[in-house]
Amino acid sequence: NGIMESKVYKSDLNINLQNIIDESLKTGEVSVSGIYYDAKIDENIISYAVPVELQPNEYGTLVVSEKMYRYTEVLDGGSLISKDGFVACINDDGQILIGSSNIDDLDDRFVNDKNNGLYVSDAIKSKISELGDKQRKTSIMIDGTSYYIVKSPVEIKDIYILLIDKEKNISGP
């Protein structure tokens, strides 16, 4: 259900795609973009570039882009979280790339609106940075209430799923 194009000029592509193509050709490895907005399709997307040998000593890249709405459906959580919690896709800097539908309603104990985007609060960022790159869980006290935190890496470079909810609302691991 996608569009396949061949023989595309790099200069005609979004700057994010140009950067991952350059990186992929330079390193000879798969390169992954961050999540970015593509005005042509009016969607947030993520892209992957894979170097390929077209002919002996002639190289190109195979680029795949994926719309992020697929991840949004997962992040809206349904019965996964209560009204007291949220789920977000974050990067290593704690920037919220996409989040559950209540993310904009949270106060600064949980999120900070900075000039360049929405971020988890400094207290949460500090706590989740202790968890490393593997799926881990911990808890944090915020205004006398204990919150459960789960940080789980996804198959995208430096991107994590973060779940935070009051501990009394968590019924499983």
Side-chain angles (χ1 to χ4, degrees):
N1 292 340
I3 298 169
M4 187 169 150
E5 297 179 57
S6 62
K7 299 191 186 220
V8 176
Y9 293 101
K10 188 175 82 169
S11 60
D12 292 338
L13 298 174
N14 177 298
I15 190 67
N16 295 289
L17 289 175
Q18 292 180 34
N19 290 340
I20 66 165
I21 288 169
D22 289 343
E23 182 180 336
S24 181
L25 288 172
K26 179 179 162 188
T27 64
E29 297 180 2
V30 174
S31 180
V32 182
S33 73
I35 297 169
Y36 63 92
Y37 178 75
D38 187 327
K40 284 184 181 177
I41 61 171
D42 192 31
E43 293 278 353
N44 287 321
I45 64 172
I46 189 162
S47 298
Y48 311 83
V50 180
V52 293
E53 187 171 16
L54 303 171
Q55 295 178 17
N57 296 319
E58 184 180 332
Y59 298 90
T61 53
L62 172 64
V63 178
V64 176
S65 296
E66 188 170 6
K67 293 179 184 177
M68 291 306 297
Y69 73 83
R70 293 181 183 148
Y71 298 101
T72 307
E73 292 168 359
V74 172
L75 291 175
D76 267 333
S79 62
L80 180 66
I81 56 171
S82 73
K83 65 178 178 55
D84 300 315
F86 70 95
V87 180
C89 185
I90 64 168
N91 65 18
D92 271 344
D93 297 327
Q95 182 179 17
I96 298 171
L97 306 171
I98 195 166
S100 51
S101 56
N102 67 334
I103 203 86
D104 291 327
D105 300 329
L106 298 171
D107 61 42
D108 62 0
R109 296 173 303 155
F110 300 97
V111 297
N112 295 316
D113 190 4
K114 298 184 179 178
N115 291 339
N116 54 346
L118 196 61
Y119 289 77
V120 296
S121 70
D122 291 339
I124 291 173
K125 183 178 176 189
S126 175
K127 196 69 170 174
I128 62 176
S129 69
E130 298 170 6
L131 298 177
D133 292 338
K134 303 261 190 264
Q135 179 170 330
R136 298 243 165 84
K137 55 189 171 188
T138 189
S139 61
I140 187 172
M141 290 294 287
I142 298 175
D143 292 342
T145 301
S146 183
Y147 286 84
Y148 182 79
I149 298 173
V150 177
K151 177 184 170 188
S152 181
V154 296
E155 297 298 318
I156 302 169
K157 177 180 168 184
D158 302 327
I159 305 290
Y160 304 89
I161 299 293
L162 180 70
L163 178 143
I164 298 180
D165 206 348
K166 286 184 179 176
E167 283 196 3
K168 68 177 186 162
N169 295 331
I170 301 294
S171 59

